[in-house]
Amino acid sequence: TNLGGFAGPSNEDGHDGANPVGVANTHIGINKNIEIFGNVYGDLEIIKGLDFVSRLGVDFIYGDHSFLLKAHEMGDAGGVADASLDVTYSSYINIVFENTLSYYREIGKNSIKALIGYTAAQQVDNFVYASRTDFPSDDMTLHAGLSNVMNDGQEYESAMLSQLARVEYGYAGKYLLTVNVRRDGSSKFG
């Protein structure tokens, strides 16, 4: 009897592959993903010509991935002597919060537009990976693996704050003067 109980092909003609039922029962992958994306927007006219706009955006992704390779033998197609289990957890979140205050006014041939704004953004990305082999029983959970213990993980976080201002002066619909100012601060800058 073969390890795992699955018959395998013989390579007498050189064209036989692995037993598909055996592969389906010994190569077990489970992938779970959750993705949530959303935006909220609000616009308020405080007085005529003066508007406040606020936006909030969130992106969230979570992954849980497992791959179990059970010990098996399938004739000339080969096999695996020791079962192995690989598990990866990952998550990513990105949050952006933006507020602007804008003003527009026309006086005779003159027009004035002004805008001030503030943006805050934060990203957090992390993962944890673990792998084990050599399970003494059918309890194939991470804590039961005795050999080839591998663990890895990382978390990365970044943030950005921005302030901006813009003033536009127009005269008679022919001439336009624009002044922009922006300031950015980021954890990536050091």
Side-chain angles (χ1 to χ4, degrees):
T1 302
N2 286 340
L3 177 62
F6 298 103
S10 64
N11 283 331
E12 292 175 5
D13 64 2
H15 297 290
D16 292 323
N19 178 331
V21 174
V23 170
N25 284 285
T26 58
H27 296 68
I28 301 167
I30 299 171
N31 293 308
K32 299 175 188 173
N33 292 304
I34 298 171
E35 299 183 24
I36 300 170
F37 304 97
N39 293 294
V40 177
Y41 170 89
D43 187 349
L44 175 66
E45 184 177 36
I46 298 169
I47 59 172
K48 184 177 177 176
L50 183 64
D51 292 313
F52 175 74
V53 176
S54 187
R55 295 177 188 91
L56 174 66
V58 176
D59 299 339
F60 174 76
I61 302 171
Y62 174 79
D64 178 351
H65 311 284
S66 301
F67 182 73
L68 173 62
L69 181 58
K70 291 183 177 180
H72 65 278
E73 186 180 296
M74 291 187 218
D76 292 339
V80 175
D82 291 322
S84 65
L85 176 63
D86 299 315
V87 178
T88 303
Y89 300 102
S90 61
S91 67
Y92 168 82
I93 188 163
N94 182 40
I95 300 171
V96 178
F97 186 52
E98 182 177 73
N99 296 291
T100 59
L101 188 63
S102 61
Y103 179 74
Y104 179 75
R105 177 102 190 245
E106 289 184 6
I107 304 169
K109 293 184 176 185
N110 301 290
S111 65
I112 297 174
K113 284 185 186 178
L115 173 91
I116 56 172
Y118 175 84
T119 301
Q122 182 176 16
Q123 290 182 345
V124 178
D125 190 2
N126 63 52
F127 80 93
V128 175
Y129 169 80
S131 178
R132 307 284 190 276
T133 62
D134 192 18
F135 296 89
S137 67
D138 286 340
D139 178 17
M140 294 186 194
T141 56
L142 281 175
H143 71 277
L146 302 174
S147 299
N148 297 320
V149 174
M150 294 186 344
N151 297 307
D152 193 11
Q154 183 175 355
E155 180 170 282
Y156 174 76
E157 187 171 350
S158 66
M160 185 177 81
L161 296 174
S162 301
Q163 296 91 29
L164 60 99
R166 179 175 62 233
V167 177
E168 294 180 5
Y169 170 74
Y171 180 74
K174 295 181 181 180
Y175 305 101
L176 180 63
L177 173 67
T178 303
V179 176
N180 291 301
V181 177
R182 183 175 178 116
R183 179 180 182 268
D184 294 312
S186 173
S187 61
K188 294 179 182 180
F189 296 157

